[in-house]
Amino acid sequence: SRVAGCGCLGSATTNDWAMEPTELRRALADLGQEHVLRFHPDGDASLEALRAQLSGVDVGAFMDSFRALRAAPPVAPEAVEPPDEPTVLAAATAAEVAAWREAGMRAVAAGEVAAVIMSGGQGTRLGYDGPKGEFSIGLPSNKSIFQLHVERLRRVRQLCKPPTAELPSLPLYIMTLPLNHERIKAFFQSNDMFGYPAQDVVFFPQGLLPCLDLDGNLMLETPTTLAMAPDGNGGIYKAMEREGVLADMEARGVKHLHVYGIDNVLTLSADPVFIGRCALAEADVGNKVVPRRGPEEKVGVLGKRGGRLCVVEYSELPADMAGRTREDGALLFGAANIANHYFSLRFIREEVIPRLEAMYHLAKKKI
């Protein structure tokens, strides 16, 4: 078991590591990471890839964050409270749903909605050697997951088109990984963007962070390169800022984001009801959930910490708490998180981005 830093750690694009091997060794030794050069005697010039990796991360801040997180006491189970009752779509009146849908369709028609799909994952667990979105789940049409999502967005544009106007702009942002970024772009291009306007499809790569072992030592993938891992779902915010996605959204007049994972082929892309519900409530954040099947289901659930809504990982919820029920028999912690989110663009720009440096967590994974 190893530790991969999976948060939104700050990155730097400086040339601080463009130094001679002797100075490089001294700088790494100051950080307790001299072992990174154990395969290289002083004077070895084959370190350009390593220098580039180090220059992309504020290594000092990265290590400080790791040590602080490792020393922090675990969250006490009693600090986790059940969430407030969610809005249950099935229990809403027809008039309420109609009002939400109308508000969402108005926002789409005005060009104020964007879809953001977290698409970097590989299809390894599906037995597919390539990006997950390219995979066909076995439908008679043999459509890929990417095509299913894009066709839903095309339909939303058609449904929201004003009678006397052109189809509205509903930009689609595809988050990739550096290792499959070009392949995903080529897949869309080879399929003529699945009929979507090319100017409304934007690809951007997720960031990477160095992997650490349980003692906080930087890990090597090869003698000349660090082992790197995607910086987690939370890395989407930094990536959108770094790659100019937020600026592009602002230039287009986008106000509402629907952010979701590529995995869920049942996602209602840019769902007007969901968008409208959040917009009418003037919410900055919305989260679609489904009922948890039972206390043993391994899925994150909504909860509250310090009075604030949060996602509690199933591994953080003791069995006795996971099984607690309300008077009607429903689970207290029964709102299962399915990575299906609404954000206002203002919230990401003004509240999230300035606070990213304090939003870290550790993820223990086998590497």
Side-chain angles (χ1 to χ4, degrees), residues 148-168:
L148 295 174
H149 286 300
V150 173
E151 288 185 349
R152 291 194 185 106
L153 289 171
R154 288 173 55 188
R155 183 58 177 157
V156 170
R157 293 180 70 218
Q158 293 168 353
L159 291 172
C160 297
K161 175 186 176 297
T164 59
E166 298 180 352
L167 286 171

Side-chain angles (χ1 to χ4, degrees), residues 55-327:
S55 295
V57 179
D58 186 336
V59 182
F62 180 71
M63 297 310 305
D64 288 344
S65 298
F66 171 78
R67 285 188 285 268
L69 287 167
R70 187 172 58 175
V75 177
E78 56 270 18
V80 179
E81 303 172 3
D84 298 330
E85 279 290 310
T87 297
V88 180
L89 185 59
T93 67
E96 288 176 322
V97 176
W100 300 338
R101 181 180 290 109
E102 182 181 354
M105 293 179 72
R106 284 199 306 268
V108 173
E112 297 175 351
V113 177
V116 184
I117 307 181
M118 298 176 285
S119 312
Q122 291 289 98
T124 308
R125 286 185 292 180
L126 300 172
Y128 180 72
D129 184 22
K132 201 178 299 182
E134 294 181 1
F135 184 70
S136 167
I137 62 174
L139 296 175
S141 65
N142 201 37
K143 293 177 180 178
S144 67
I145 298 175
F146 276 134
Q147 184 171 353
L148 295 174
H149 286 300
V150 173
E151 288 185 349
R152 291 194 185 106
L153 289 171
R154 288 173 55 188
R155 183 58 177 157
V156 170
R157 293 180 70 218
Q158 293 168 353
L159 291 172
C160 297
K161 175 186 176 297
T164 59
E166 298 180 352
L167 286 171
S169 172
L170 203 175
L172 168 60
Y173 298 86
I174 303 286
M175 186 172 77
T176 66
L177 284 177
L179 67 89
N180 59 29
H181 181 77
E182 293 302 324
R183 174 165 172 168
I184 290 176
K185 285 177 62 178
F187 184 73
F188 268 75
Q189 291 163 354
S190 67
N191 286 279
D192 196 26
M193 297 295 181
F194 303 107
Y196 216 70
Q199 69 272 18
D200 285 343
V201 183
V202 178
F203 304 91
F204 67 102
Q206 183 175 3
L208 299 175
L209 288 173
C211 300
L212 306 172
D213 65 19
L214 294 175
D215 296 319
N217 298 310
L218 290 168
M219 299 172 62
L220 293 174
E221 181 174 351
T222 73
T224 58
T225 58
L226 297 173
M228 306 289 284
D231 58 3
N233 283 353
I236 187 172
Y237 312 109
K238 192 69 175 179
M240 286 196 294
E241 180 193 34
R242 181 185 63 245
E243 301 298 328
V245 168
L246 295 181
D248 184 74
M249 291 176 174
E250 290 165 340
R252 293 172 182 263
V254 169
K255 296 180 180 179
H256 313 281
L257 312 185
H258 187 197
V259 180
Y260 52 96
I262 189 68
D263 312 68
N264 190 350
V265 297
L266 299 179
T267 298
L268 299 177
S269 305
D271 176 14
V273 174
F274 183 40
I275 300 294
R277 172 70 179 94
C278 295
L280 287 178
E282 298 184 347
D284 283 320
V285 180
N287 197 25
K288 267 194 180 184
V289 296
V290 296
R292 197 178 190 189
R293 289 183 296 180
E296 299 83 16
E297 185 177 10
K298 294 183 177 180
V299 61
V301 296
L302 291 192
K304 293 174 75 175
R305 286 194 180 111
R308 294 188 176 187
L309 197 65
C310 65
V311 175
V312 184
E313 297 299 332
Y314 66 86
S315 57
E316 300 174 340
L317 200 62
D320 62 321
M321 293 183 67
R324 291 180 187 173
T325 60
R326 305 181 189 276
E327 291 183 1

